[in-house]
């Protein structure tokens, strides 16, 4: 699988560290224990298109949101996480 880093260009996926769903960018409010529990422990595992967080560990060290089809491993889009979290 190849990931097109917005800073470094087309790279092999072995240069990246996978964190999980991009939902991690949407933290719940402090004190809402149920929301925090769901945020940390309850995750969907869908087949098809997902948006995930990847760290370009062996490159520019940027965090990326990668939209991909987890069934076919086709990468549909890549954005800097700092741009998505605004």
């Amino acid at each position: 699988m190849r990931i097109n880093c917005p800073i470094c260009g087309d790279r092999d996926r072995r240069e990246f560290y996978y964190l999980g769903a991009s939902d991690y960018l949407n933290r719940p409010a402090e004190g809402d224990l149920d929301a925090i529990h769901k945020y940390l422990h309850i995750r969907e595992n869908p087949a098809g298109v997902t948006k995930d967080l990847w760290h370009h560990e062996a490159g520019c060290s940027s965090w990326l949101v990668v939209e991909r089809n987890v069934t076919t491993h086709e990468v549909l889009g890549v954005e800097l996480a700092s741009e998505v979290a605004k």
Side-chain angles (χ1 to χ4, degrees), residues 3 50-54 64-68 75 77-79:
I3 296 175
T50 65
K51 285 190 174 184
D52 303 313
L53 286 172
W54 290 74
L64 308 173
V65 175
V66 178
E67 183 177 10
R68 68 187 180 108
V75 175
V78 181
E79 299 175 89

Side-chain angles (χ1 to χ4, degrees), residues 57-70:
E57 187 173 46
C60 62
S61 199
S62 293
W63 281 97
L64 308 173
V65 175
V66 178
E67 183 177 10
R68 68 187 180 108
N69 186 320
V70 295

Side-chain angles (χ1 to χ4, degrees), residues 29-67:
E30 271 189 49
D32 186 350
L33 296 181
D34 185 52
I36 292 170
H37 169 72
K38 289 178 182 173
Y39 171 79
L40 292 174
H41 304 291
I42 308 299
R43 296 281 171 199
E44 293 185 24
N45 189 17
V49 177
T50 65
K51 285 190 174 184
D52 303 313
L53 286 172
W54 290 74
H55 180 242
H56 197 177
E57 187 173 46
C60 62
S61 199
S62 293
W63 281 97
L64 308 173
V65 175
V66 178
E67 183 177 10

